[in-house]
Amino acid sequence: MNGFKELSLVSALVAVCLNASATEIYQCKDAKGRSVFSQTPCGKDATKKIIEGPAELGTVIPDGDPAKRLIFSNERRELDRKITSQKRYISSLQSNMDRDLAGLRAKKSHANNNLAGAQWEQSISTEMQAVTERYRSKISVAENQLDRLLTESAGLGD
């Protein structure tokens, strides 16, 4: 098995074991000499390997055990994915708010110039304030979550 495929297989095994603090796996060779990984001894030539769980946040692992570097790399990639997703979510909330407010402004422009029209216009203004407040609240929560993720990311280092 070439190094990339072996790394991919170890990566998959590590992903399965991420919730455990330490996991034992066994590496053996099959009939064709390829590496095989298992949770139980897989042959007479089985080599036991211990994979530690994810590092504490804020721990930088520049060198050392390949399994730990792999776990760290996966944590970094997952955190970056969450940050990107959160930024998109905030952007979509802002776009939705703008769209909803534009619809209400268009409605408001059709109000007649009489008492009924003035009351309807006031009602739409109140609705616009409620829409703005609802979206601002959602955006604020999302921005707080993004700040937490960015702080977590800064703690991981590069």
Side-chain angles (χ1 to χ4, degrees):
M1 204 178 266
N2 67 31
F4 179 73
K5 288 182 181 177
E6 194 169 298
L7 182 60
S8 296
L9 186 53
V10 170
S11 156
L13 286 171
V14 169
V16 169
C17 303
L18 277 177
N19 289 333
S21 60
T23 302
E24 293 179 358
I25 62 169
Y26 296 87
Q27 179 180 8
C28 305
K29 299 286 183 189
D30 68 6
K32 294 183 180 179
R34 295 178 295 200
S35 291
V36 176
F37 296 89
S38 173
Q39 289 181 325
T40 59
C42 43
K44 294 177 186 172
D45 65 337
T47 305
K48 180 166 54 170
K49 300 189 181 278
I50 306 290
I51 297 178
E52 295 293 327
E56 290 291 320
L57 288 179
T59 303
V60 178
I61 305 176
D63 297 317
D65 182 21
K68 286 184 180 180
R69 285 196 320 261
L70 180 63
I71 291 169
F72 175 79
S73 174
N74 287 343
E75 287 177 348
R76 162 58 72 197
R77 193 171 23 261
E78 179 64 17
L79 193 53
D80 289 344
R81 186 195 63 74
K82 286 179 181 179
I83 289 169
T84 300
S85 175
Q86 195 67 14
K87 286 178 179 178
R88 278 192 208 122
Y89 176 63
I90 291 168
S91 179
S92 75
L93 285 173
Q94 185 66 48
S95 295
N96 290 344
M97 180 176 77
D98 293 344
R99 183 199 64 225
D100 290 354
L101 289 175
L104 290 169
R105 275 190 217 96
K107 246 189 198 182
K108 194 174 181 181
S109 69
H110 291 81
N112 292 328
N113 194 13
N114 57 25
L115 180 59
Q119 289 176 334
W120 190 49
E121 191 174 338
Q122 180 59 38
S123 170
I124 292 172
S125 293
T126 302
E127 187 176 352
M128 288 173 74
Q129 288 174 338
V131 165
T132 300
E133 187 56 38
R134 183 177 78 236
Y135 277 107
R136 283 192 179 153
S137 175
K138 287 180 180 183
I139 290 170
S140 177
V141 168
E143 286 174 338
N144 287 338
Q145 290 173 342
L146 177 61
D147 287 344
R148 182 186 53 79
L149 291 170
L150 290 171
T151 300
E152 203 174 307
S153 177
L156 281 178
D158 291 323

